Amino acid sequence: METVIILSRKGGVGKTATAHALGAALMKRKKRVLFVDADGQSNLTLTMKADEEQSNLYDVLSKESTIKKAIQETEGGYIIPGNEMLHAADITLNGADKNLILREALKEVSKQFDYCIIDTPAALGVVTMNCLIAADKIIVPLQADIYSLQGIARMVEALETVKANCGSKATISGFLVTRYNARTVLSKQMLEDLEKIAKSLKTRVYKSKIRECTAIKEAALQQTDIYSYASRSNAAKDYKAFVEEFIKQKQKEI
């Protein structure tokens, strides 16, 4: 099982939409996908019609539940739901292994799935640390603006710390530009800056850009994936192109 986390230090860049679109596209390719909602806002949980009041990720991290018990099968696939208690994890979780719990738990179900797609919180706390340590690949969605670029340095610093201290093997698979508007001068300039940053980090900016599209929010409100809701929308086309890139990238690495 390959564990892919969708990570950004900035909110509102489409982390949940990207996690859902990536996983749904992989499922359409007959891949076995496990979604994990690591964000206390539980947006992915809501979109996939999961029940956060049953066993959830917080219960797994606090060792109140096994990971197998926390997995729910919904209309949209298998998911470990999030819960608002994840916001309090920095205070409530303790123990020398508190940052390693998710990685060890996922090992128990690694043969059941081809991919684990994790939607992470924006805050860099114990939950995000669990996600980083569990990850094989990191996809970073961001807007072409200065605030998103500023957050990259902090994210990379955190990743290097995790690698040095926890034996993480996670690598940045690439940067995915979301809410993109090619007509603005600012977007073009920031994209050039992002390309330079990606090159310095020995990663890439995905050629596919996710254009601003109301269908993304509408699909979430309808609790379905973008392909089922609006298969001909710009968002569906853009995410399909991105997933094609992601898969070809993996094939080259094998």
Side-chain angles (χ1 to χ4, degrees), residues 72-123:
Q72 293 182 31
E73 183 178 7
T74 71
E75 296 174 12
Y78 292 94
I79 181 173
I80 299 176
N83 180 279
E84 62 181 5
M85 281 300 295
L86 289 167
H87 289 307
D90 287 345
I91 300 172
T92 59
L93 298 184
N94 49 56
D97 68 337
K98 67 179 182 179
N99 292 324
L100 308 174
I101 297 171
L102 182 57
R103 182 177 68 181
E104 297 308 307
L106 287 174
K107 289 179 181 179
E108 298 179 29
V109 296
S110 62
K111 294 183 179 180
Q112 295 176 225
F113 300 96
D114 300 306
Y115 290 92
C116 175
I117 309 297
I118 305 178
D119 184 21
T120 68

Short mmCIF file of all heavy atoms in Angstrom, two decimals, residues 72-123:
data_model
loop_
_atom_site.label_atom_id
_atom_site.label_comp_id
_atom_site.label_asym_id
_atom_site.label_seq_id
_atom_site.Cartn_x
_atom_site.Cartn_y
_atom_site.Cartn_z
N GLN A 72 -14.75 2.58 7.79
CA GLN A 72 -16.16 2.51 7.40
C GLN A 72 -16.27 2.36 5.89
O GLN A 72 -15.52 2.99 5.14
CB GLN A 72 -16.91 3.76 7.83
CG GLN A 72 -17.04 3.94 9.33
CD GLN A 72 -17.84 5.18 9.68
OE1 GLN A 72 -18.74 5.59 8.95
NE2 GLN A 72 -17.51 5.78 10.82
N GLU A 73 -17.21 1.54 5.46
CA GLU A 73 -17.50 1.42 4.04
C GLU A 73 -18.70 2.29 3.71
O GLU A 73 -19.78 2.11 4.27
CB GLU A 73 -17.78 -0.02 3.65
CG GLU A 73 -18.01 -0.19 2.15
CD GLU A 73 -18.24 -1.63 1.74
OE1 GLU A 73 -18.36 -2.50 2.61
OE2 GLU A 73 -18.30 -1.88 0.51
N THR A 74 -18.51 3.27 2.83
CA THR A 74 -19.58 4.17 2.43
C THR A 74 -19.87 4.01 0.95
O THR A 74 -19.20 3.25 0.25
CB THR A 74 -19.20 5.64 2.71
OG1 THR A 74 -18.17 6.04 1.77
CG2 THR A 74 -18.66 5.80 4.13
N GLU A 75 -20.85 4.77 0.46
CA GLU A 75 -21.17 4.74 -0.97
C GLU A 75 -19.95 5.15 -1.80
O GLU A 75 -19.77 4.69 -2.92
CB GLU A 75 -22.32 5.69 -1.27
CG GLU A 75 -23.63 5.33 -0.62
CD GLU A 75 -24.69 6.39 -0.85
OE1 GLU A 75 -24.47 7.28 -1.70
OE2 GLU A 75 -25.74 6.34 -0.19
N GLY A 76 -19.12 6.02 -1.23
CA GLY A 76 -17.98 6.54 -1.97
C GLY A 76 -16.68 5.81 -1.72
O GLY A 76 -15.64 6.20 -2.27
N GLY A 77 -16.70 4.77 -0.90
CA GLY A 77 -15.48 4.00 -0.64
C GLY A 77 -15.21 3.81 0.83
O GLY A 77 -16.05 4.12 1.69
N TYR A 78 -14.01 3.34 1.13
CA TYR A 78 -13.62 3.07 2.51
C TYR A 78 -12.93 4.29 3.11
O TYR A 78 -12.07 4.90 2.47
CB TYR A 78 -12.67 1.88 2.56
CG TYR A 78 -13.31 0.55 2.20
CD1 TYR A 78 -13.26 0.07 0.89
CD2 TYR A 78 -13.98 -0.20 3.17
CE1 TYR A 78 -13.85 -1.14 0.55
CE2 TYR A 78 -14.58 -1.41 2.84
CZ TYR A 78 -14.51 -1.87 1.52
OH TYR A 78 -15.11 -3.05 1.20
N ILE A 79 -13.29 4.63 4.34
CA ILE A 79 -12.72 5.80 4.97
C ILE A 79 -12.61 5.61 6.48
O ILE A 79 -13.46 4.98 7.11
CB ILE A 79 -13.56 7.06 4.69
CG1 ILE A 79 -12.94 8.30 5.34
CG2 ILE A 79 -15.01 6.87 5.10
CD1 ILE A 79 -13.61 9.61 4.98
N ILE A 80 -11.51 6.12 7.04
CA ILE A 80 -11.40 6.31 8.49
C ILE A 80 -11.80 7.75 8.73
O ILE A 80 -11.09 8.67 8.34
CB ILE A 80 -9.97 6.04 9.00
CG1 ILE A 80 -9.56 4.61 8.70
CG2 ILE A 80 -9.89 6.31 10.50
CD1 ILE A 80 -8.13 4.29 9.08
N PRO A 81 -12.96 7.98 9.35
CA PRO A 81 -13.46 9.36 9.48
C PRO A 81 -12.66 10.19 10.46
O PRO A 81 -11.97 9.66 11.34
CB PRO A 81 -14.90 9.16 9.97
CG PRO A 81 -14.90 7.83 10.63
CD PRO A 81 -13.90 7.00 9.88
N GLY A 82 -12.78 11.50 10.29
CA GLY A 82 -12.20 12.41 11.26
C GLY A 82 -13.19 12.71 12.36
O GLY A 82 -14.32 12.22 12.36
N ASN A 83 -12.77 13.53 13.30
CA ASN A 83 -13.62 13.90 14.43
C ASN A 83 -13.07 15.19 15.02
O ASN A 83 -11.86 15.44 14.96
CB ASN A 83 -13.63 12.77 15.46
CG ASN A 83 -14.49 13.05 16.67
OD1 ASN A 83 -14.06 13.75 17.59
ND2 ASN A 83 -15.70 12.51 16.68
N GLU A 84 -13.92 16.02 15.61
CA GLU A 84 -13.47 17.31 16.14
C GLU A 84 -12.43 17.15 17.26
O GLU A 84 -11.67 18.07 17.53
CB GLU A 84 -14.65 18.11 16.66
CG GLU A 84 -15.40 17.47 17.80
CD GLU A 84 -16.58 18.30 18.27
OE1 GLU A 84 -16.86 19.34 17.64
OE2 GLU A 84 -17.20 17.91 19.26
N MET A 85 -12.36 15.97 17.87
CA MET A 85 -11.37 15.74 18.92
C MET A 85 -9.94 15.79 18.38
O MET A 85 -8.99 15.96 19.15
CB MET A 85 -11.61 14.40 19.61
CG MET A 85 -12.73 14.41 20.63
SD MET A 85 -12.41 15.59 21.98
CE MET A 85 -10.96 14.84 22.74
N LEU A 86 -9.79 15.68 17.08
CA LEU A 86 -8.45 15.80 16.48
C LEU A 86 -7.86 17.17 16.75
O LEU A 86 -6.64 17.32 16.80
CB LEU A 86 -8.51 15.53 14.98
CG LEU A 86 -8.77 14.08 14.56
CD1 LEU A 86 -9.11 14.01 13.07
CD2 LEU A 86 -7.57 13.20 14.87
N HIS A 87 -8.72 18.18 16.95
CA HIS A 87 -8.22 19.53 17.27
C HIS A 87 -7.51 19.55 18.61
O HIS A 87 -6.64 20.40 18.85
CB HIS A 87 -9.39 20.52 17.31
CG HIS A 87 -9.99 20.83 15.97
ND1 HIS A 87 -9.25 21.25 14.89
CD2 HIS A 87 -11.28 20.76 15.54
CE1 HIS A 87 -10.05 21.44 13.86
NE2 HIS A 87 -11.27 21.16 14.21
N ALA A 88 -7.87 18.63 19.49
CA ALA A 88 -7.31 18.61 20.84
C ALA A 88 -6.16 17.61 20.99
O ALA A 88 -5.64 17.44 22.09
CB ALA A 88 -8.40 18.28 21.86
N ALA A 89 -5.77 16.99 19.89
CA ALA A 89 -4.78 15.91 19.96
C ALA A 89 -3.45 16.34 20.56
O ALA A 89 -2.79 15.57 21.27
CB ALA A 89 -4.56 15.32 18.57
N ASP A 90 -3.03 17.58 20.31
CA ASP A 90 -1.76 18.05 20.86
C ASP A 90 -1.76 18.04 22.39
O ASP A 90 -0.71 17.91 23.02
CB ASP A 90 -1.46 19.47 20.37
CG ASP A 90 -1.04 19.50 18.91
OD1 ASP A 90 -0.72 18.43 18.36
OD2 ASP A 90 -1.05 20.58 18.31
N ILE A 91 -2.94 18.19 22.96
CA ILE A 91 -3.06 18.22 24.42
C ILE A 91 -3.31 16.83 25.00
O ILE A 91 -2.74 16.46 26.03
CB ILE A 91 -4.21 19.16 24.84
CG1 ILE A 91 -3.94 20.58 24.35
CG2 ILE A 91 -4.41 19.15 26.36
CD1 ILE A 91 -5.10 21.53 24.54
N THR A 92 -4.13 16.05 24.30
CA THR A 92 -4.59 14.79 24.87
C THR A 92 -3.71 13.58 24.57
O THR A 92 -3.69 12.62 25.34
CB THR A 92 -6.01 14.47 24.38
OG1 THR A 92 -6.00 14.40 22.94
CG2 THR A 92 -6.99 15.56 24.82
N LEU A 93 -3.00 13.61 23.46
CA LEU A 93 -2.17 12.46 23.11
C LEU A 93 -0.80 12.59 23.78
O LEU A 93 -0.19 13.65 23.77
CB LEU A 93 -1.98 12.34 21.60
CG LEU A 93 -3.24 12.13 20.77
CD1 LEU A 93 -2.87 11.93 19.30
CD2 LEU A 93 -4.05 10.94 21.27
N ASN A 94 -0.34 11.51 24.34
CA ASN A 94 0.97 11.52 24.98
C ASN A 94 1.65 10.17 24.80
O ASN A 94 1.08 9.26 24.19
CB ASN A 94 0.85 11.87 26.48
CG ASN A 94 -0.22 11.04 27.17
OD1 ASN A 94 -0.18 9.81 27.13
ND2 ASN A 94 -1.19 11.70 27.77
N GLY A 95 2.84 10.06 25.29
CA GLY A 95 3.60 8.82 25.13
C GLY A 95 4.72 8.99 24.13
O GLY A 95 4.64 9.83 23.22
N ALA A 96 5.76 8.21 24.30
CA ALA A 96 6.94 8.33 23.45
C ALA A 96 6.64 8.02 21.98
O ALA A 96 7.34 8.50 21.09
CB ALA A 96 8.03 7.39 23.97
N ASP A 97 5.58 7.24 21.74
CA ASP A 97 5.27 6.83 20.38
C ASP A 97 4.11 7.61 19.77
O ASP A 97 3.56 7.21 18.75
CB ASP A 97 4.92 5.35 20.35
CG ASP A 97 3.60 5.05 21.07
OD1 ASP A 97 3.21 5.86 21.94
OD2 ASP A 97 2.98 4.02 20.77
N LYS A 98 3.75 8.76 20.35
CA LYS A 98 2.54 9.45 19.92
C LYS A 98 2.57 9.90 18.46
O LYS A 98 1.52 10.06 17.84
CB LYS A 98 2.27 10.66 20.82
CG LYS A 98 3.29 11.78 20.72
CD LYS A 98 2.92 12.94 21.64
CE LYS A 98 3.91 14.09 21.52
NZ LYS A 98 3.53 15.22 22.41
N ASN A 99 3.77 10.09 17.90
CA ASN A 99 3.88 10.51 16.50
C ASN A 99 3.95 9.33 15.53
O ASN A 99 3.93 9.53 14.31
CB ASN A 99 5.11 11.38 16.30
CG ASN A 99 5.00 12.72 16.99
OD1 ASN A 99 3.93 13.31 17.04
ND2 ASN A 99 6.10 13.21 17.53
N LEU A 100 4.04 8.14 16.06
CA LEU A 100 4.24 6.94 15.23
C LEU A 100 3.01 6.07 15.13
O LEU A 100 3.01 5.06 14.43
CB LEU A 100 5.40 6.10 15.81
CG LEU A 100 6.72 6.82 16.07
CD1 LEU A 100 7.69 5.88 16.76
CD2 LEU A 100 7.31 7.36 14.79
N ILE A 101 1.95 6.44 15.82
CA ILE A 101 0.78 5.57 15.95
C ILE A 101 0.13 5.27 14.60
O ILE A 101 -0.20 4.11 14.30
CB ILE A 101 -0.25 6.19 16.91
CG1 ILE A 101 0.37 6.32 18.31
CG2 ILE A 101 -1.51 5.34 16.96
CD1 ILE A 101 -0.46 7.12 19.29
N LEU A 102 -0.05 6.28 13.77
CA LEU A 102 -0.73 6.07 12.49
C LEU A 102 0.08 5.15 11.58
O LEU A 102 -0.48 4.26 10.93
CB LEU A 102 -0.99 7.41 11.80
CG LEU A 102 -1.74 7.33 10.47
CD1 LEU A 102 -3.07 6.63 10.62
CD2 LEU A 102 -1.93 8.74 9.88
N ARG A 103 1.38 5.37 11.50
CA ARG A 103 2.22 4.52 10.65
C ARG A 103 2.10 3.06 11.05
O ARG A 103 1.93 2.18 10.19
CB ARG A 103 3.68 4.96 10.72
CG ARG A 103 4.60 4.13 9.81
CD ARG A 103 6.02 4.62 9.85
NE ARG A 103 6.67 4.39 11.13
CZ ARG A 103 7.92 4.76 11.40
NH1 ARG A 103 8.64 5.39 10.50
NH2 ARG A 103 8.45 4.52 12.59
N GLU A 104 2.16 2.79 12.34
CA GLU A 104 2.08 1.41 12.81
C GLU A 104 0.70 0.84 12.59
O GLU A 104 0.56 -0.34 12.24
CB GLU A 104 2.45 1.36 14.30
CG GLU A 104 3.88 1.78 14.59
CD GLU A 104 4.90 1.04 13.74
OE1 GLU A 104 4.88 -0.21 13.73
OE2 GLU A 104 5.71 1.71 13.07
N ALA A 105 -0.33 1.66 12.76
CA ALA A 105 -1.70 1.18 12.57
C ALA A 105 -1.96 0.82 11.11
O ALA A 105 -2.60 -0.20 10.80
CB ALA A 105 -2.69 2.23 13.04
N LEU A 106 -1.46 1.65 10.18
CA LEU A 106 -1.68 1.40 8.76
C LEU A 106 -1.03 0.11 8.29
O LEU A 106 -1.48 -0.51 7.31
CB LEU A 106 -1.19 2.58 7.93
CG LEU A 106 -2.04 3.85 8.00
CD1 LEU A 106 -1.36 5.00 7.25
CD2 LEU A 106 -3.44 3.62 7.44
N LYS A 107 0.02 -0.31 8.96
CA LYS A 107 0.67 -1.57 8.60
C LYS A 107 -0.30 -2.75 8.72
O LYS A 107 -0.18 -3.74 7.99
CB LYS A 107 1.89 -1.81 9.49
CG LYS A 107 3.06 -0.88 9.20
CD LYS A 107 4.22 -1.17 10.15
CE LYS A 107 5.40 -0.23 9.88
NZ LYS A 107 6.54 -0.48 10.81
N GLU A 108 -1.26 -2.62 9.62
CA GLU A 108 -2.21 -3.71 9.85
C GLU A 108 -3.16 -3.92 8.68
O GLU A 108 -3.74 -4.99 8.53
CB GLU A 108 -3.02 -3.43 11.12
CG GLU A 108 -2.20 -3.36 12.39
CD GLU A 108 -3.05 -3.06 13.61
OE1 GLU A 108 -4.25 -3.45 13.61
OE2 GLU A 108 -2.55 -2.42 14.55
N VAL A 109 -3.34 -2.89 7.85
CA VAL A 109 -4.28 -3.00 6.74
C VAL A 109 -3.59 -2.79 5.39
O VAL A 109 -4.25 -2.61 4.37
CB VAL A 109 -5.45 -1.98 6.90
CG1 VAL A 109 -6.26 -2.31 8.14
CG2 VAL A 109 -4.93 -0.55 6.95
N SER A 110 -2.28 -2.81 5.39
CA SER A 110 -1.53 -2.49 4.17
C SER A 110 -1.78 -3.47 3.02
O SER A 110 -1.64 -3.11 1.85
CB SER A 110 -0.03 -2.43 4.48
OG SER A 110 0.43 -3.69 4.93
N LYS A 111 -2.17 -4.70 3.35
CA LYS A 111 -2.42 -5.68 2.30
C LYS A 111 -3.83 -5.61 1.74
O LYS A 111 -4.14 -6.24 0.73
CB LYS A 111 -2.13 -7.09 2.83
CG LYS A 111 -0.65 -7.32 3.15
CD LYS A 111 -0.40 -8.75 3.60
CE LYS A 111 1.08 -8.97 3.91
NZ LYS A 111 1.35 -10.37 4.35
N GLN A 112 -4.68 -4.85 2.41
CA GLN A 112 -6.07 -4.75 1.97
C GLN A 112 -6.29 -3.66 0.92
O GLN A 112 -7.29 -3.67 0.21
CB GLN A 112 -6.98 -4.44 3.18
CG GLN A 112 -7.03 -5.54 4.21
CD GLN A 112 -7.86 -5.14 5.41
OE1 GLN A 112 -7.49 -5.34 6.57
NE2 GLN A 112 -9.01 -4.56 5.16
N PHE A 113 -5.33 -2.74 0.83
CA PHE A 113 -5.51 -1.59 -0.06
C PHE A 113 -4.26 -1.34 -0.91
O PHE A 113 -3.15 -1.70 -0.52
CB PHE A 113 -5.83 -0.33 0.76
CG PHE A 113 -7.08 -0.44 1.59
CD1 PHE A 113 -7.01 -0.81 2.93
CD2 PHE A 113 -8.32 -0.21 1.02
CE1 PHE A 113 -8.16 -0.93 3.69
CE2 PHE A 113 -9.48 -0.32 1.77
CZ PHE A 113 -9.40 -0.68 3.11
N ASP A 114 -4.49 -0.70 -2.06
CA ASP A 114 -3.38 -0.30 -2.93
C ASP A 114 -2.88 1.09 -2.55
O ASP A 114 -1.68 1.37 -2.64
CB ASP A 114 -3.83 -0.29 -4.40
CG ASP A 114 -4.30 -1.65 -4.86
OD1 ASP A 114 -3.53 -2.62 -4.72
OD2 ASP A 114 -5.44 -1.74 -5.36
N TYR A 115 -3.82 1.94 -2.15
CA TYR A 115 -3.48 3.32 -1.78
C TYR A 115 -4.18 3.72 -0.49
O TYR A 115 -5.33 3.33 -0.26
CB TYR A 115 -3.91 4.31 -2.87
CG TYR A 115 -3.11 4.24 -4.15
CD1 TYR A 115 -3.54 3.43 -5.20
CD2 TYR A 115 -1.95 4.98 -4.32
CE1 TYR A 115 -2.83 3.37 -6.39
CE2 TYR A 115 -1.22 4.92 -5.50
CZ TYR A 115 -1.67 4.12 -6.53
OH TYR A 115 -0.96 4.06 -7.70
N CYS A 116 -3.50 4.54 0.28
CA CYS A 116 -4.11 5.23 1.41
C CYS A 116 -3.95 6.72 1.11
O CYS A 116 -2.84 7.21 0.95
CB CYS A 116 -3.43 4.88 2.72
SG CYS A 116 -4.03 5.82 4.14
N ILE A 117 -5.08 7.44 1.01
CA ILE A 117 -5.07 8.87 0.71
C ILE A 117 -5.49 9.62 1.96
O ILE A 117 -6.60 9.41 2.48
CB ILE A 117 -6.03 9.21 -0.45
CG1 ILE A 117 -5.77 8.31 -1.67
CG2 ILE A 117 -5.91 10.69 -0.81
CD1 ILE A 117 -4.41 8.46 -2.28
N ILE A 118 -4.61 10.49 2.47
CA ILE A 118 -4.87 11.18 3.73
C ILE A 118 -5.05 12.67 3.53
O ILE A 118 -4.18 13.34 2.97
CB ILE A 118 -3.74 10.93 4.74
CG1 ILE A 118 -3.50 9.43 4.94
CG2 ILE A 118 -4.06 11.60 6.08
CD1 ILE A 118 -2.36 9.11 5.91
N ASP A 119 -6.18 13.19 4.00
CA ASP A 119 -6.43 14.62 4.02
C ASP A 119 -5.94 15.16 5.36
O ASP A 119 -6.44 14.76 6.41
CB ASP A 119 -7.94 14.88 3.86
CG ASP A 119 -8.27 16.36 3.78
OD1 ASP A 119 -7.37 17.15 3.46
OD2 ASP A 119 -9.44 16.71 4.05
N THR A 120 -4.96 16.04 5.34
CA THR A 120 -4.31 16.48 6.57
C THR A 120 -4.81 17.85 7.03
O THR A 120 -5.33 18.63 6.23
CB THR A 120 -2.78 16.58 6.39
OG1 THR A 120 -2.49 17.64 5.47
CG2 THR A 120 -2.21 15.27 5.85
N PRO A 121 -4.61 18.17 8.32
CA PRO A 121 -4.94 19.52 8.80
C PRO A 121 -3.86 20.51 8.38
O PRO A 121 -2.74 20.12 8.04
CB PRO A 121 -4.97 19.34 10.32
CG PRO A 121 -4.03 18.20 10.58
CD PRO A 121 -4.17 17.28 9.41
N ALA A 122 -4.20 21.80 8.44
CA ALA A 122 -3.22 22.82 8.06
C ALA A 122 -2.19 23.04 9.17
O ALA A 122 -1.04 23.38 8.89
CB ALA A 122 -3.94 24.13 7.74
N ALA A 123 -2.59 22.83 10.41
CA ALA A 123 -1.69 23.05 11.54
C ALA A 123 -0.64 21.95 11.63
O ALA A 123 -0.92 20.78 11.36
CB ALA A 123 -2.48 23.12 12.84
#
